[in-house]
Amino acid sequence: MSTTKTLSLLVLLLFVSLVHATDQCPFNSIYQFGDSIADTGNLIRTGPVGARSHAANYPYGQTYFHQATGRLSNGLLMIDYLARRLDLPFLNPYLNGNTTSSSFKNGVNFAVSGSTALNSSFFAARNLHVPETNTPLSTQLAWFKSHLRSTCQGPSSDCLKQSLFMMGEIGGNDYNYGIFQGKPMEEIRSYIPHVVGAITAAAREVIRAGAVNVVVPGNFPVGCFPIYLTSFPVKDPKAYDDKGCLKHLNEFAMDHNNQLQEAIASLRKEFPNVAIVYGDYYNAFQYVLRSEGFDKSMALKSCCGIGGAYNYDGKRPCGAAGVPVCQNPNKFISWDGVHLTQKGYRFMSKFLNNQILSQTKCSRA
């Protein structure tokens, strides 16, 4: 090859590498709100009840950290994979300590397992019990504002231009507390506008604080999860789809997601200069179900669990004495019947991260 051709090739390779290096927004921080799908250690720091939860004990964390960190999985969560994708360190939980410390310079995780979009008073008015550890979106937002006051010098809008906001997933527990305490589906369906309203209001608050990149995730197809399949079996085979998931529960999740997307569309009109991205967790999970990366015979069974067709028993959950863990979690999508394995979350992240980041607005310093 001639010297001229060699130089031309080197220039081309340099150009391609520069384009690749600049095709991603240079986010310097992530702010995560939500529940157990994203909690990296807040629940186990909420007090004695949280400290005694299964998330605080092995086998949670066994695959990646080799110890429990408060993540409800055997390893990494989607927020961990997102941080990796953005070349940022894993997010520390807000309750980890002094929020002005350097450990929070790349963002904060406010998510708490078991939390709701709505305040606890909503459930009390409907005779529903929620755990004392419930940390609804309103409380997580208060934490965020307190953090911002202590760390942001000058207008908060300047501090947050290169931050990515993850507003959940949240809302699933709002429905779970009704579903598992015997409320009829007609009543639980009436919660959807309230839940969507709370999520929308939270997104509006962070935007007014200066956020310009906000991701609002939808709900999972919960009819595919061992906890629901075990708790609400139906004799009629037509009640299940071709993957073995309960149709009526997935239709409920789609109803929530459709109303949420309508609310996001309205938010976009209200804030035309802000990237407000819908996180399609529903189809990301369906992608995982279709993937060849898992044992199809184990697709709807939990890795850490015991008993029944789905290897799940609510009275003997993962982490309880005598409850076994599968030998190879990489074959399973579900970790404990409620949350996914590290590999399940990795595959969901493969589907989501490009989709989400391609819709954000870059604000290059």
Side-chain angles (χ1 to χ4, degrees), residues 76-335:
L76 300 179
L77 308 179
M78 283 187 284
I79 183 57
D80 298 314
Y81 285 109
L82 179 59
R84 269 187 174 179
R85 172 66 191 275
L86 296 174
D87 295 322
L88 296 174
F90 295 152
L91 289 191
N92 283 309
Y94 177 76
L95 297 179
N96 199 35
N98 179 9
T99 58
T100 61
S101 72
S102 60
S103 62
F104 291 93
K105 69 178 182 180
N106 296 114
V108 187
N109 192 330
F110 302 105
V112 185
S113 299
S115 291
T116 55
L118 296 164
N119 290 336
S120 296
S121 57
F122 176 90
F123 305 99
R126 290 158 179 77
N127 295 313
L128 287 170
H129 168 75
V130 294
E132 63 182 74
T133 54
N134 183 34
T135 309
L137 264 180
S138 59
T139 301
Q140 295 180 27
L141 282 166
W143 288 353
F144 164 67
K145 290 173 185 175
S146 175
H147 168 74
L148 207 57
R149 284 192 298 270
S150 66
T151 57
C152 185
Q153 308 302 319
S156 59
S157 58
D158 293 336
C159 296
L160 302 177
K161 279 183 179 175
Q162 290 176 265
S163 299
L164 182 62
F165 282 77
M166 299 294 295
M167 305 308 301
E169 176 272 345
I170 197 162
N173 290 317
D174 298 68
Y175 307 129
N176 286 343
Y177 294 131
I179 290 170
F180 287 97
Q181 291 177 51
K183 294 289 185 179
M185 287 303 294
E186 295 76 22
E187 178 181 331
I188 298 165
R189 199 171 293 276
S190 73
Y191 301 170
I192 296 176
H194 298 279
V195 171
V196 168
I199 296 169
T200 307
R204 187 179 287 110
E205 280 206 52
V206 299
I207 291 167
R208 287 177 175 162
V212 292
N213 288 289
V214 181
V215 180
V216 185
N219 208 342
F220 291 80
V222 293
C224 303
F225 281 50
I227 182 174
Y228 293 94
L229 289 161
T230 300
S231 302
F232 306 104
V234 181
K235 289 183 179 178
D236 183 1
K238 292 179 182 176
Y240 298 85
D241 66 16
D242 60 343
K243 296 288 189 297
C245 307
L246 281 166
K247 290 180 183 177
H248 77 282
L249 288 172
N250 282 356
E251 287 164 1
F252 177 86
M254 284 191 283
D255 193 359
H256 165 91
N257 291 343
N258 289 337
Q259 291 190 42
L260 183 63
Q261 288 178 82
E262 289 172 8
I264 290 170
S266 296
L267 268 183
R268 287 173 182 149
K269 291 177 182 176
E270 189 178 345
F271 301 101
N273 297 319
V274 177
I276 306 169
V277 181
Y278 173 66
D280 194 353
Y281 284 21
Y282 190 100
N283 280 312
F285 187 86
Q286 295 287 13
Y287 161 78
V288 177
L289 270 187
R290 294 191 303 270
S291 171
E292 295 300 321
F294 300 89
D295 185 335
K296 296 294 183 185
S297 68
M298 305 295 181
L300 302 180
K301 296 183 178 183
S302 60
C303 164
C304 181
I306 192 169
Y310 305 101
N311 204 35
Y312 176 83
D313 182 345
K315 294 178 180 176
R316 293 183 294 171
C318 177
V323 175
V325 181
C326 66
Q327 287 191 335
N328 187 357
N330 282 336
K331 291 183 177 181
F332 288 74
I333 297 170
S334 176
W335 165 244

Side-chain angles (χ1 to χ4, degrees), residues 34-47:
D35 57 22
S36 59
I37 303 303
D39 185 359
T40 55
N42 281 314
L43 173 66
I44 64 174
R45 293 172 171 86
T46 55

Side-chain angles (χ1 to χ4, degrees), residues 43-58:
L43 173 66
I44 64 174
R45 293 172 171 86
T46 55
V49 175
R52 291 195 300 271
S53 67
H54 292 304
N57 298 296
Y58 205 76

